[in-house]
């Protein structure tokens, strides 16, 4: 048995209109592995990642009649799984906060609590640095770093030249480097 070539977005779109079951099967076979790897990067849990990917495919099946994909199917699926994983992580954080932690409090030192607070603060500051990027610059950065799209794929998806994508990525990295360097300097001064 030979490996099958990936089906183009246009072919997938036509397949969705002609044979929904075959569309889902093809979508699943073509992107399941990539989506699981994407989810595992966030969750650090293979089983949870597989469940999240399954949920995304279930939502696509449930909404197949009104499914509108303005980017590529790959970008759409990676974004969906990323959002699903981030929601999962947020939900896990809330669950941990609502659990009765009194039996564990004695085992944590003040130092561990401080490290956790510093990590959360740093994560918040990184998110703020990302939000400070110009919209197109941030979108290109996220597509490259979080969705693992190539510059060429991003350029095609956003109808830009690859050189523009490259320039925007350089700008994003420069801005983030500057903002995060200031954060790190402030962080170490406060220690």
């Amino acid at each position: 048995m030979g490996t099958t070539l990936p089906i183009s977005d246009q072919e997938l779109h036509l397949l969705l209109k002609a044979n929904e079951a075959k569309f889902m099967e093809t979508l699943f076979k073509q992107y399941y592995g990539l989506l699981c790897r994407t989810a595992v990067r966030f969750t650090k849990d293979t089983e949870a990642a597989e469940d999240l990917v399954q949920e995304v495919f279930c939502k696509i099946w449930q909404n197949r009649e009104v499914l509108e994909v303005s980017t590529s199917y790959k970008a759409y699926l990676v974004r969906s799984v990323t959002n699903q994983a981030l929601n999962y992580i947020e939900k896990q954080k809330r669950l941990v906060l609502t659990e009765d932690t009194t039996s564990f409090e004695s085992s944590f030192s003040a130092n561990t609590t401080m490290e956790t607070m510093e990590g959360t603060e740093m994560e918040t500051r990184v998110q703020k640095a990302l939000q400070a990027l110009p919209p197109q610059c941030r979108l290109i950065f996220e597509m490259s770093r979080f969705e693992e799209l190539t510059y060429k794929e991003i350029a095609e998806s956003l109808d830009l030249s690859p050189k523009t994508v490259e320039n925007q990525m350089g700008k994003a990295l420069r801005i983030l480097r500057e903002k995060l360097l200031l954060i790190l300097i402030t962080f170490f001064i406060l220690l």
Side-chain angles (χ1 to χ4, degrees), residues 20-135:
E20 294 170 342
K22 184 70 174 167
F23 165 78
M24 286 303 296
E25 179 185 346
T26 304
L27 205 61
F28 184 86
K29 286 179 180 177
Q30 190 160 316
Y31 295 113
Y32 182 77
L34 168 70
L35 299 177
C36 284
R37 289 189 301 274
T38 300
V40 164
R41 277 196 340 235
F42 290 98
T43 64
K44 311 295 187 234
D45 180 345
T46 305
E47 286 182 27
E50 289 173 351
D51 289 344
L52 294 173
V53 171
Q54 289 294 336
E55 287 176 27
V56 167
F57 278 111
C58 286
K59 286 180 183 177
I60 289 173
W61 177 254
Q62 291 167 348
N63 297 311
R64 67 191 178 278
E65 293 175 2
V66 293
L67 184 65
E68 292 280 335
V69 177
S70 58
T71 60
S72 69
Y73 280 97
K74 178 181 178 182
Y76 177 83
L77 289 167
V78 169
R79 172 70 70 176
S80 297
V81 167
T82 299
N83 289 340
Q84 196 78 3
L86 292 173
N87 290 340
Y88 169 82
I89 291 167
E90 194 60 37
K91 188 175 181 181
Q92 292 303 107
K93 286 180 185 175
R94 283 194 303 267
L95 286 174
V96 168
L97 290 175
T98 58
E99 288 178 355
D100 181 19
T101 58
T102 54
S103 62
F104 298 109
E105 287 176 357
S106 61
S107 65
F108 288 115
S109 68
N111 198 20
T112 304
T113 304
M114 187 63 157
E115 288 171 4
T116 302
M117 288 172 52
E118 290 166 356
T120 304
E121 177 68 20
M122 187 62 75
E123 185 178 324
T124 301
R125 290 179 183 215
V126 169
Q127 286 300 321
K128 284 182 181 177
L130 280 173
Q131 293 301 319
L133 291 174

